[in-house]
Amino acid sequence: ALRAKMDTPEGKALLHRLRYLLNGSDGEGMPVTYSTARKAYEGGDKKNSVMDKAGVYTFGHVAGYGLLFQLTGDQRYAEWGRQCFELALDGQRDRDDRYSWVDPGGALRAGPVVGWMAVGYDLCYNGWDAATRERFGRAIETYQTGLYSKWGKTDVNLEQLVSGTMPPKSNHYGMQVGGAALALLAITQEPWADQQ
């Protein structure tokens, strides 16, 4: 059904925009620009930097390439998704320096990163070999990272995100719990996953 929709005028427009955002042109290759930030709020005092241009790496790239893999069946997209997942594990920051797999700018930022990486994992799943799926899946399962906030650096893990580090009335709660829930859905029932 999605493949049929991609041939509609609306589907074509959406895919054109996705491809443009992935690499600044046609989506046929890796991002062309990467943030040079090394931590969240590198400017200090809650000042984040944002690279506002197409083709810059984001934590959504794995999912973007995964969607193209699902729609086309072209193995290259799963491979580019794999490379983007590797970049995240290595600490590559998003176009907005608050977002990163490694040391994001608080649990509010960690939740969406974990969630979208899990969506990308799910979309690229059949394009990756078993060893890659397990390695990335275990990275999701054992997610733990330092968080930078005005109170200093603290650690957070997937279990804490599932519970939320803020009360349900906080706007941070849904971002944390929602992202962690997507992560759990992506890896549930894997033979190596701890179902507890």
Side-chain angles (χ1 to χ4, degrees):
L2 284 175
R3 288 181 179 143
K5 287 181 180 180
M6 78 178 194
D7 288 328
T8 66
E10 297 83 1
K12 288 177 181 177
L14 288 169
L15 287 177
H16 177 76
R17 180 71 177 163
L18 171 61
R19 290 175 179 279
Y20 174 68
L21 292 173
L22 287 172
N23 73 345
S25 62
D26 58 6
E28 297 295 310
M30 289 289 285
V32 294
T33 307
Y34 298 87
S35 172
T36 59
R38 295 290 165 238
K39 65 179 185 174
Y41 307 110
E42 203 165 60
D45 194 33
K46 294 275 186 185
K47 293 181 182 149
N48 65 302
S49 63
V50 177
M51 298 181 72
D52 193 19
K53 60 192 287 186
V56 64
Y57 174 86
T58 71
F59 66 86
H61 268 72
V62 180
Y65 287 123
L67 179 60
L68 290 176
F69 171 66
Q70 289 294 319
L71 292 173
T72 66
D74 188 332
Q75 184 65 36
R76 295 175 308 152
Y77 297 118
E79 173 56 22
W80 291 324
R82 184 195 66 74
Q83 290 178 40
C84 287
F85 207 117
E86 294 280 2
L87 286 168
L89 294 180
D90 289 342
Q92 177 60 54
R93 302 198 81 76
D94 183 83
R95 63 183 284 277
D96 179 332
D97 72 20
R98 298 172 295 179
Y99 294 91
S100 178
W101 182 269
V102 178
D103 298 340
L108 169 67
R109 316 297 176 198
V113 172
V114 171
W116 273 107
M117 296 297 285
V119 168
Y121 169 87
D122 192 52
L123 290 170
C124 290
Y125 189 89
N126 291 329
W128 293 339
D129 62 37
T132 299
R133 290 193 301 259
E134 182 173 345
R135 187 164 94 72
F136 291 163
R138 285 184 183 273
I140 293 169
E141 178 185 41
T142 60
Y143 182 76
Q144 180 168 339
T145 191
L147 302 174
Y148 288 93
S149 70
K150 66 181 180 182
W151 301 284
K153 186 175 177 184
T154 58
D155 288 327
V156 72
N157 60 35
L158 190 59
E159 186 175 355
Q160 290 167 312
L161 289 174
V162 168
S163 301
T165 65
M166 301 289 282
K169 67 181 180 178
S170 168
N171 65 323
H172 292 220
Y173 184 82
M175 300 290 277
Q176 295 172 29
V177 174
L182 287 171
L184 294 176
L185 286 170
I187 63 171
T188 191
Q189 301 305 314
E190 289 288 3
W192 43 261
D194 177 355
Q195 292 302 306
Q196 292 301 315

